[in-house]
Amino acid sequence: MTLTMGMITIDCADPPKLASLWTRALGTEIDQDYGFFLMLKPPAQGGLVLGFQQVPEPRKGKNRVHIDFGTSDRKEEIARLVALGADEHETHEVPGLTWTVLTDPEGNEFCVSSGVHG
């Protein structure tokens, strides 16, 4: 197979604003900034690169794709992300996995889990 995943791009109204949250959340910095599109440097701990692309329309409805993050201390990590500007929503559980849905300042959903992925 020759296909690899390298970046997830998030549509948004204000790329620098979202990049501010995610650089602090992931401990990275902006790698390339083209005004309407910017990319972060890969996180030191590994993982995909995040990109932020300016679009004119607001997000409507539920995200069809979202990012799942894992951690060993979900509650502590959620508190840190909320302090950085995320909003906490519902928490879900199935045997061996607990995850909480959060949104960034533009309403884009992402999850933080413990268990299988954490």
Side-chain angles (χ1 to χ4, degrees):
M1 182 162 97
T2 59
L3 186 66
T4 60
M5 289 198 309
M7 180 169 62
I8 296 173
T9 301
I10 299 172
D11 289 350
C12 58
D14 189 347
K17 181 178 180 182
L18 284 190
S20 176
L21 167 81
W22 288 108
T23 54
R24 293 177 291 144
L26 297 173
T28 188
E29 57 191 44
I30 294 172
D31 185 30
Q32 297 177 38
D33 186 347
Y34 301 101
F36 68 95
F37 176 76
L38 60 82
M39 290 188 323
L40 304 185
K41 288 186 177 181
Q45 69 275 22
L48 296 174
V49 171
L50 286 181
F52 302 95
Q53 175 176 278
Q54 186 175 30
V55 297
E57 68 278 351
R59 187 184 74 81
K60 295 180 182 175
K62 186 178 182 332
N63 289 33
R64 297 295 297 226
V65 174
H66 65 266
I67 305 170
D68 291 322
F69 296 94
T71 182
S72 59
D73 191 336
R74 186 181 49 79
K75 290 180 181 179
E76 181 178 309
E77 191 60 32
I78 290 167
R80 185 179 77 86
L81 292 165
V82 168
L84 292 175
D87 289 318
E88 181 179 355
H89 297 277
E90 65 275 354
T91 295
H92 305 275
E93 270 187 82
V94 296
L97 179 64
T98 301
W99 71 96
T100 300
V101 178
L102 296 100
T103 53
D104 69 20
E106 290 200 19
N108 298 300
E109 297 168 354
F110 63 98
C111 294
V112 175
S113 68
S114 58
V116 175
H117 299 291

